[in-house]
Amino acid sequence: MEPDSLPTEVILTHPRQSLGRVQLDWTPQPGNYLDFEGKTYAVLERRHRYQFKSGRYRLNTIAIYVQFAQRPAEKTLVEGRWVIGDATCSYNAYSEIIRCAVNPNGPCESCRFYEKDE
C-alpha cells in the first residue's frame, strides 16, 4: 500500500465524532479543505497512526481532525502557499485557516479596517 493511498479517518472536532474513513490520493495538511459526503471541512490537524509489524513500525492510517467550513473566495499566494484574504493588509494573519483578527469572516474587499502593509 502506498503512503498516499492510506486509509484516512475523518474526525469532526466539535462535537467530537468520527465521520468515517476515506482513501485519499493526496496528503491532507492543516489549512486544506476536504469535501466529504457532500459537505466541506477545513483540516485542522493530521495525526499518523503506526503499527508494529515484523520488528518495525509502519504507517498504518492517518487521522485528520476537521471542522465544518466554507471555502474562502479570497486567497493570496504568499511564498508558495495560499493564505486566506488579502495579504497586502497589515491585519492579515497569513494563515490557511483564519483571515485576520479584526474581520475573520471577511470579505477583505470592503473591510473598513484595511491598512496597506508596508
Side-chain angles (χ1 to χ4, degrees):
M1 189 179 300
E2 296 178 22
D4 61 353
S5 66
L6 285 172
T8 303
E9 183 176 7
V10 181
I11 302 168
L12 187 64
T13 56
H14 186 73
R16 171 96 25 130
Q17 68 183 45
S18 176
L19 298 176
R21 290 180 177 258
V22 65
Q23 295 283 128
L24 297 176
D25 60 354
W26 57 284
T27 304
Q29 299 289 341
N32 291 146
Y33 291 87
L34 171 73
D35 293 320
F36 185 72
E37 296 182 350
K39 295 183 181 174
T40 301
Y41 299 92
V43 178
L44 301 177
E45 185 177 346
R46 182 184 76 205
R47 294 184 185 172
H48 295 166
R49 295 181 178 162
Y50 295 89
Q51 182 178 29
F52 190 72
K53 194 174 189 178
S54 302
R56 64 182 213 167
Y57 286 98
R58 300 180 112 183
L59 183 59
N60 188 41
T61 60
I62 297 172
I64 56 173
Y65 292 82
V66 299
Q67 73 179 15
F68 179 74
Q70 291 182 344
R71 289 184 190 268
E74 299 172 300
K75 289 196 237 178
T76 307
L77 188 63
V78 176
E79 297 178 9
R81 66 186 181 97
W82 289 100
V83 299
I84 297 176
D86 184 352
T88 64
C89 179
S90 60
Y91 292 111
N92 190 285
Y94 297 98
S95 168
E96 301 93 343
I97 299 173
I98 187 167
R99 180 185 317 268
C100 70
V102 295
N103 188 14
N105 296 325
C108 294
E109 184 179 310
S110 58
C111 180
R112 62 186 172 123
F113 298 105
Y114 176 84
E115 288 183 18
K116 179 95 172 140
D117 193 19
E118 296 183 30

